[in-house]
């Protein structure tokens, strides 16, 4: 029995058979936040009910556009790439029940991360949760304490005031990041740098994957 089949044999079928609408999967480097620069396998699930006008993955919004894949199929690809860290993103991944997927991933000894706006119940089991709330889509109160990392996208100056408000709902251990919105980068970074200098509990997040021209 090879190592792939050996890992899969440890996972109950009830976790391997469920399907998810997957826009894309790829092995790359995390480009944002605390884990920036770390190798990670990305699972981008389709479907989003937030639809930010500045979103750089708008093609992920429509759930029915993409084929469904079983957890087993997804996991086989991850194991073939020899990844040890997985990021579940979207779209808005919490539109889906993530319990079977995350159970399977963790049973295979993978570290599992989630990127979410927090507007739906977070299902599943995670080693790291990045909460990136949006102004026009309230976060469920129960999700704030789950955030290891709070990442606020800054497009205008008011976003800084809103970021401070969001941080009040998180735990003292939650890491706080401000990230300039890519299409308004020059103005946003001009506001962010002095804000961080005066509010040293915050750190800067840059989308390094865009500079490296990788996914």
């Amino acid at each position: 029995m090879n190592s792939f089949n050996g890992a899969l044999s440890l996972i109950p079928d009830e976790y391997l058979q469920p399907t998810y609408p997957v826009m894309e999967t790829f092995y790359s480097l995390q480009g944002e936040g605390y884990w920036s620069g770390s190798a990670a396998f990305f699972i981008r699930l389709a479907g989003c009910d937030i639809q930010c006008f500045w979103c750089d993955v708008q093609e992920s919004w429509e759930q029915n556009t993409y084929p469904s894949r079983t957890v087993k199929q997804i996991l086989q690809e991850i194991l073939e790439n020899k990844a040890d860290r997985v990021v579940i993103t979207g779209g808005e991944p919490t539109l889906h029940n993530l319990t079977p997927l995350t159970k399977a991933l963790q049973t295979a000894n993978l570290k599992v991360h989630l990127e979410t706006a927090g507007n739906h119940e977070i299902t599943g089991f995670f080693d790291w949760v990045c909460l990136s709330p949006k102004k026009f889509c309230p976060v469920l109160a129960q999700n704030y304490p789950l955030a290891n990392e709070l990442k606020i996208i800054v497009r205008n100056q008011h976003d800084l005031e809103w970021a401070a408000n969001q941080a009040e709902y998180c735990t003292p251990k939650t890491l706080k990041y401000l990230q300039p919105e890519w299409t308004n980068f020059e103005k946003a970074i001009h506001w962010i740098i002095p804000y961080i200098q005066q509010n040293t509990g915050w750190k800067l997040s840059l989308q390094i994957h865009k500079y490296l021209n990788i996914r």
Side-chain angles (χ1 to χ4, degrees):
M1 180 180 293
N2 62 37
S3 58
F4 298 160
N5 290 332
L8 291 172
S9 69
L10 299 175
I11 304 170
D13 282 344
E14 63 185 294
Y15 300 143
L16 291 175
Q17 296 308 315
T19 62
Y20 294 87
V22 179
M23 177 197 157
E24 61 178 348
T25 54
F26 55 95
Y27 192 29
S28 187
L29 302 182
Q30 173 60 273
E32 305 173 359
Y34 178 80
W35 292 95
S36 180
S38 300
F41 188 95
F42 288 80
I43 304 170
R44 189 181 302 282
L45 299 181
C48 183
D49 58 349
I50 305 173
Q51 303 186 355
C52 306
F53 71 91
W54 41 260
C55 176
D56 55 4
V57 198
Q58 294 187 11
E59 58 270 31
S60 69
W61 292 356
E62 294 301 324
Q63 179 173 329
N64 296 328
T65 302
Y66 301 96
S68 293
R69 296 177 61 185
T70 66
V71 173
K72 183 177 182 179
Q73 291 172 328
I74 297 169
L75 184 54
Q76 284 177 320
E77 184 182 357
I78 296 169
L79 295 175
E80 288 168 1
N81 280 277
K82 299 182 179 180
D84 62 4
R85 193 172 303 277
V86 178
V87 179
I88 302 174
T89 185
E92 176 45 57
T94 58
L95 285 171
H96 312 284
N97 177 10
L98 301 177
T99 298
L101 176 58
T102 56
K103 275 279 194 180
L105 295 174
Q106 289 192 337
T107 302
N109 293 318
L110 296 163
K111 298 295 184 183
V112 185
H113 294 203
L114 174 68
E115 296 183 349
T116 178
N119 59 316
H120 295 281
E121 179 185 2
I122 295 176
T123 57
F125 304 88
F126 299 94
D127 298 284
W128 192 267
V129 174
C130 175
L131 178 64
S132 185
K134 306 300 183 287
K135 281 182 177 177
F136 41 86
C137 195
V139 175
L140 294 184
Q142 67 202 50
N143 290 338
Y144 285 108
L146 303 178
N148 301 98
E149 174 183 349
L150 175 68
K151 182 177 66 183
I152 302 296
I153 309 303
V154 177
R155 180 174 174 80
N156 55 58
Q157 285 183 287
H158 182 263
D159 290 335
L160 297 171
E161 179 182 337
W162 187 73
N165 172 265
Q166 290 298 292
E168 291 180 0
Y169 296 101
C170 295
T171 73
K173 293 183 178 181
T174 301
L175 303 178
K176 298 179 293 185
Y177 287 87
L178 297 173
Q179 181 170 295
E181 195 274 304
W182 184 255
T183 63
N184 200 37
F185 182 90
E186 295 298 330
K187 289 183 178 180
I189 198 68
H190 177 75
W191 301 320
I192 290 172
I193 291 175
Y195 184 87
I196 292 176
Q197 290 173 324
Q198 296 171 22
N199 299 272
T200 56
W202 289 89
K203 293 183 179 181
L204 175 66
S205 172
L206 294 176
Q207 295 178 290
I208 65 168
H209 54 290
K210 291 185 179 291
Y211 294 98
L212 298 174
N213 195 30
I214 60 175
R215 286 160 135 184

